[in-house]
């Protein structure tokens, strides 16, 4: 059973780990020289409904990455505006730890390798190819998981954003993202809100050394620093462009909010440098990522794949998708849980088995189903969905799906028949025989 994962963000890493646990021979192909994608500058997890989603994944035996995040947390059970019991992982130590975990589990990593084309036979993807002229490579497999995301195309940032700002995607260096499903002939989906096509990445990183001691002290002590914006500064309108709708609230429009993730995570898609430097403690502030962060950020939610609730791409027999590629889902947690399901189903597809659809009584199952349904409507295409806030967190609460009691979460997972569903194939087989 050969499975290839294209894209090494959180969803791709989760997919690769999940597929290899099912006995597949897994190769993960990543365009750049590092894994995690936006996770290199993110760091927030377990906030609000993400706590429930993470614990569901752990109960389903798909929680290795969450447990690794816990081990690399700088702050746990912290609060910042609109968010409770959050954890912040260290963005400087997380990526090497994930790289080691995948290698230890037998995932073959093919880094700095940009997939540019596909080989098809009917509706079945046979291979993906790189585009290095005389160094072209062809990677064949029985099943594929596409987790290439929905950004990293400079022309898109130029056309729909404020230009290329040299962000963490580094597409000017490693080449822009290429949609595998698009190359295979799938008609993909673009999110939009009014006249805005796609949405801007959620935040920028500041260089810690450029912040005042009192700001750094607040960050180390509480995980967060918040300072009021000058009344003649930003009007907060840039937040309307933000992918993370859960931060489009008053506190983020009238204050500078910075989180301690090993870096200094500024919770706005961009803020002009002259305005940022008006804020006490930020007089010498400088952007680390994106380098042009005072003007803008990357545009995301272009080229999402139509798919079913098993995360199989519509029109392709053996291709699955996860993370942003699977729809208007925002966040590391959302990427990991969808990646885990997509990798599991890719391995089942390679083995000639039926894919799994997670019951909608659980957060993962409901999110996958609900987002698919919403993306079929004009209103839904203007929204973003996350366990941590905005419309989907409200849905979780209304459905009594937001739970902090871990034994109760495990009970619900068991009631859905999903306990240890993502366990290693040999371990799952032993458990089934024991229960019989």
């Amino acid at each position: 059973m050969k499975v290839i994962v294209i894209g090494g963000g959180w969803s791709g890493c989760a997919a690769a780990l999940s597929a290899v646990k099912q006995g597949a021979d897994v190769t993960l192909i990543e365009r750049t020289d590092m894994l995690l994608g936006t996770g290199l500058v993110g760091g927030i997890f377990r906030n609000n409904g993400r706590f429930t989603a993470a614990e569901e994944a752990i109960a389903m035996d798909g929680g290795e990455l969450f447990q690794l995040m816990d081990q690399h947390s700088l702050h746990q059970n912290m609060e910042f505006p609109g968010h409770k019991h959050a954890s912040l992982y260290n963005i400087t130590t997380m990526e090497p730890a994930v790289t080691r975990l995948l290698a230890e589990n037998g995932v073959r990593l093919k880094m700095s390798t940009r997939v540019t084309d596909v080989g098809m036979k009917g509706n079945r993807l046979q291979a993906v190819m790189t585009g290095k002229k005389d160094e072209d490579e062809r990677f064949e497999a029985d099943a594929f998981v596409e987790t290439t995301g929905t950004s990293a195309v400079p022309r898109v940032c130029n056309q729909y954003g404020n230009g290329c700002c040299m962000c963490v995607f580094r597409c000017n260096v490693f080449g822009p993202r290429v949609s595998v499903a698009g190359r295979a002939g799938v008609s993909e989906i673009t999110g939009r809100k009014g006249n805005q096509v796609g949405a801007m990445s959620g935040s920028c990183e500041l260089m810690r050394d450029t912040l005042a001691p009192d700001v750094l002290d607040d960050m180390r002590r509480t995980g967060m620093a918040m300072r009021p914006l000058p009344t003649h500064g930003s009007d907060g309108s840039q937040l309307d462009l933000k992918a993370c709708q859960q931060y489009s609230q008053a506190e983020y429009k009238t204050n500078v909010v910075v989180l301690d993730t090993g870096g200094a995570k500024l919770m706005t898609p961009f803020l002009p440098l002259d305005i940022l430097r008006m804020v006490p403690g930020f007089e010498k502030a400088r952007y680390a990522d994106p380098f042009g962060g005072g003007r803008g950020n990357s545009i995301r939610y272009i080229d999402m794949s139509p798919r079913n609730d098993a995360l199989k791409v519509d029109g392709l027999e053996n291709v699955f998708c996860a993370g942003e590629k699977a729809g208007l889902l925002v966040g590391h947690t959302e990427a990991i849980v969808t990646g885990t399901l997509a990798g599991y189903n890719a391995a089942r597809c390679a083995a000639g088995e039926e894919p799994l659809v997670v019951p909608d009584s659980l957060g993962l199952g409901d999110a996958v189903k609900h987002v698919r349904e919403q993306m079929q409507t004009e209103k839904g295409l203007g929204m973003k969905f996350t366990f941590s806030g905005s419309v989907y967190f409200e849905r979780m609460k209304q459905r009594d799906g937001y739970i902090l009691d871990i034994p109760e979460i495990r009970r619900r997972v068991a009631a859905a028949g999903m306990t240890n569903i993502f366990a290693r194939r040999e371990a799952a087989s032993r458990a089934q025989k024991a229960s019989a």
Side-chain angles (χ1 to χ4, degrees), residues 172-228:
N172 286 308
V173 177
F174 293 99
R177 172 188 60 82
V178 173
S179 171
V180 170
R183 288 295 171 95
V186 174
S187 178
E188 296 194 289
I189 304 167
T190 294
R192 62 172 60 242
K193 187 175 183 180
N195 294 326
Q196 176 63 42
V197 174
M200 276 199 176
S201 285
S203 61
C204 308
E205 293 288 332
L206 300 176
M207 292 185 177
R208 292 177 69 97
D209 293 348
T210 66
L211 305 182
D214 64 296
V215 174
L216 294 174
D217 286 345
D218 283 357
M219 290 168 62
R220 292 190 192 101
R221 182 170 47 85
T222 68
M224 179 194 74
M226 186 163 69
R227 300 290 187 273

Side-chain angles (χ1 to χ4, degrees), residues 347-366:
R348 291 183 65 85
C349 175
E353 299 169 355
E354 289 297 311
L356 170 72
V357 174
V358 175
D360 62 7
S361 59
L362 300 180
L364 170 57
D366 183 61

Side-chain angles (χ1 to χ4, degrees), residues 1-5 15-21 23-28 106-109:
M1 300 190 304
K2 286 190 176 181
V3 171
I4 287 178
V5 179
L17 185 60
S18 186
V20 84
K21 286 169 64 179
D25 178 349
V26 179
T27 299
L28 187 155
V107 176
R108 187 179 301 105
L109 297 175

Side-chain angles (χ1 to χ4, degrees), residues 247-432:
Y247 302 121
S248 297
Q249 55 191 68
E251 291 92 338
Y252 297 98
K253 292 186 177 183
T254 57
N255 295 279
V256 168
V257 178
V258 184
L259 302 184
D260 178 17
T261 60
K265 184 177 175 68
L266 176 65
M267 303 301 289
T268 179
F270 67 94
L271 191 61
L273 194 58
D274 57 341
I275 294 174
L276 179 60
R277 288 179 172 174
M278 294 179 186
V279 179
F282 291 80
E283 294 88 351
K284 300 177 181 179
R286 179 175 168 181
Y287 284 98
D289 176 86
F291 290 117
R295 177 171 173 174
N297 217 322
S298 64
I299 293 292
R300 289 153 59 183
Y301 297 101
I302 309 293
D303 296 340
M304 297 173 288
S305 288
R307 45 79 180 173
N308 65 17
D309 293 342
L311 297 180
K312 189 187 76 66
V313 177
D314 291 350
L316 299 177
E317 294 179 10
N318 62 335
V319 181
F320 297 80
C321 61
E324 291 182 8
K325 197 70 181 173
L328 294 158
L329 291 151
V330 180
H332 307 330
T333 298
E334 292 76 3
I336 291 171
V337 296
T338 55
T340 300
L341 177 60
Y344 178 84
N345 279 338
R348 291 183 65 85
C349 175
E353 299 169 355
E354 289 297 311
L356 170 72
V357 174
V358 175
D360 62 7
S361 59
L362 300 180
L364 170 57
D366 183 61
V368 167
K369 177 182 178 182
H370 183 68
V371 170
R372 175 186 57 75
E373 293 173 342
Q374 290 298 305
M375 286 177 61
Q376 296 172 7
T377 70
E378 189 67 26
K379 181 180 179 181
L381 286 175
M383 296 180 180
K384 310 297 179 297
F385 301 88
T386 169
F387 297 118
S388 73
S390 191
V391 291
Y392 190 74
F393 183 42
E394 291 304 313
R395 176 180 172 85
M396 286 185 77
K397 291 187 284 189
Q398 291 167 6
R399 287 167 51 89
D400 194 27
Y402 171 42
I403 312 167
L404 300 179
D405 184 337
I406 294 176
E408 174 60 16
I409 293 171
R410 291 174 179 169
R411 188 197 67 76
R412 293 194 183 190
V413 170
M418 293 289 107
T419 299
N420 296 333
I421 191 69
F422 298 128
R424 289 189 181 276
R425 182 163 288 230
E426 61 271 20
S429 177
R430 288 195 300 269
Q432 290 173 355

